[in-house]
Amino acid sequence: KVDNMARQVHNERFHHASVAFVSVIDSDDFAAIYGNFEVPEAFVTPLSSEVSYEEIAQAVATLDAENIVLLPNNKNAITTCELFAKRSSRHVYTLASGSEIEGVVALEHFDPASPIEANLEAMNSALAETDFFAIVQAVKNYTHGNLDIHTGDFVLMKDGLLLASSEQPSGLLPTLFSL
């Protein structure tokens, strides 16, 4: 409740803004990161594993802005956001951010002094030009090509491809730096 009030006060500073953002997030940690950007925003934390059309509609309804940019931050939510943008009577756009980190990269390239078209182009370019990697921890033994992965190993991934594994995260750095 307090967080909602803080968000409402934050957004009141941007009464009838040119652009506002709706970000799908999984945790309060990312809400804090996104909150550092000086933009009107609403967050959707899905009630289930997938964001619903209705959750997006409710978030959009809370924003007083001429243009609204949806940051799905999940590859599975992109289609729902695109459908909402297509059906909306408002000026709603979807940036195909596949993770919360990708959403942060997009927001870093937002310029409040630029028109919406220039911002969408800059944010989409940033997403296309940035390489995103993930480090995950293996939950079972697995062999993939020349990788022999054991439970608890750290695995470096890019675009769903397994690139390297190591018992320690630092063991992935040589591979990461060579890419």
Side-chain angles (χ1 to χ4, degrees):
K1 201 77 159 167
V2 172
D3 182 51
N4 291 342
M5 289 179 65
R7 180 70 33 222
Q8 185 177 10
V9 169
H10 171 83
N11 285 343
E12 284 177 6
R13 294 182 23 226
F14 301 102
H15 184 68
H16 196 66
S18 173
V19 180
F21 293 86
V22 172
S23 301
V24 179
I25 58 170
D26 286 333
S27 70
D28 291 338
D29 295 333
F30 272 99
I33 293 169
Y34 278 73
N36 288 324
F37 293 96
E38 287 296 314
V39 296
E41 58 200 344
F43 300 123
V44 177
T45 304
L47 296 175
S48 67
S49 61
E50 300 297 327
V51 67
S52 71
Y53 188 93
E54 292 77 21
E55 289 171 316
I56 295 168
Q58 289 171 357
V60 167
T62 67
L63 296 170
D64 180 19
E66 183 180 338
N67 301 289
I68 301 198
V69 178
L70 305 177
L71 295 169
N73 298 334
N74 178 326
K75 291 185 185 336
N76 296 327
I78 292 172
T79 304
T80 304
C81 288
E82 288 173 338
L83 179 64
F84 180 85
K86 182 179 177 181
R87 290 182 177 174
S88 179
S89 60
R90 296 176 73 180
H91 298 279
V92 178
Y93 308 89
T94 300
L95 279 175
S97 55
S99 69
E100 292 158 319
I101 293 297
E102 290 181 25
V104 169
V105 168
L107 280 172
E108 286 177 343
H109 289 81
F110 173 71
D111 178 4
S114 294
I116 185 67
E117 296 80 12
N119 271 306
L120 291 171
E121 184 178 331
M123 292 185 288
N124 274 314
S125 291
L127 290 176
E129 294 169 5
T130 304
D131 287 326
F132 296 96
F133 296 89
I135 296 177
V136 297
Q137 200 163 16
V139 295
K140 65 179 183 175
N141 293 335
Y142 182 73
T143 300
H144 178 77
N146 63 348
L147 294 177
D148 190 22
I149 302 167
H150 303 281
T151 302
D153 282 357
F154 293 89
V155 180
L156 177 65
M157 298 176 64
K158 179 182 180 213
D159 298 327
L161 299 174
L162 305 177
L163 303 176
S165 68
S166 174
E167 291 179 6
Q168 298 296 320
S170 60
L172 300 172
L173 293 177
T175 301
L176 185 59
F177 291 143
S178 70
L179 299 172

